[in-house]
Amino acid sequence: MKLRKRLLPLILALLTSGGILPLASADDDDWRDLHQEVKKGHLVGIGEIMDWLEARYEGQILEVELEQEDDRIEYEVEMIGPRGQVVEFEFDATNGELLSVEGVNIEAMRKSP
């Protein structure tokens, strides 16, 4: 929950600046369309992704993007770990599946089970 609270201002800033919506033109309805896709269950909400990350990794969110890669919509979440390492997590936005993790010293960010 702490991670999500810290992320809320970032998400709001990104939504209002258009930085989180590179899927289409900078049309004001784009974010509404994506919100409807989440409400209909076609896309996983960012809150679920943040809960998953908070349960498994130490760190702070630097950036969140929602992008279309080929025929897939993905969340890209960049975090900075306790030792200053930057790690990028990619999730399939339709089902929340972790697709990849890239960065240095990722294991140092992992929480103990």
Side-chain angles (χ1 to χ4, degrees):
M1 190 67 158
K2 291 185 286 183
L3 192 60
R4 193 181 317 165
K5 286 179 183 175
R6 286 183 291 202
L7 181 63
L8 185 58
L10 174 64
I11 290 175
L12 293 174
L14 289 172
L15 282 171
T16 57
S17 72
I20 200 168
L21 301 175
L23 294 171
S25 67
D27 184 66
D28 289 339
D29 292 328
D30 289 344
W31 71 269
R32 288 183 184 95
D33 293 342
L34 289 170
H35 180 69
Q36 287 300 317
E37 291 299 304
V38 171
K39 285 180 74 174
K40 292 176 185 176
H42 299 156
L43 294 178
V44 173
I46 190 66
E48 290 181 46
I49 302 296
M50 296 302 103
D51 288 345
W52 188 93
L53 284 168
E54 182 179 53
R56 291 164 179 81
Y57 292 91
E58 299 283 342
Q60 294 182 1
I61 301 296
L62 295 175
E63 181 178 23
V64 176
E65 295 179 356
L66 185 61
E67 295 187 342
Q68 187 163 3
E69 293 289 329
D70 302 319
D71 292 332
R72 180 172 45 216
I73 298 174
E74 299 177 357
Y75 285 110
E76 293 182 2
V77 181
E78 194 172 280
M79 292 179 70
I80 186 166
R83 297 183 181 161
Q85 67 271 46
V86 176
V87 177
E88 181 178 278
F89 299 85
E90 290 185 7
F91 295 88
D92 185 318
T94 59
N95 60 21
E97 175 187 356
L98 178 65
L99 300 172
S100 68
V101 181
E102 297 177 3
V104 178
N105 203 7
I106 298 165
E107 287 302 314
M109 290 177 66
R110 235 182 252 280
K111 290 183 176 178
S112 301

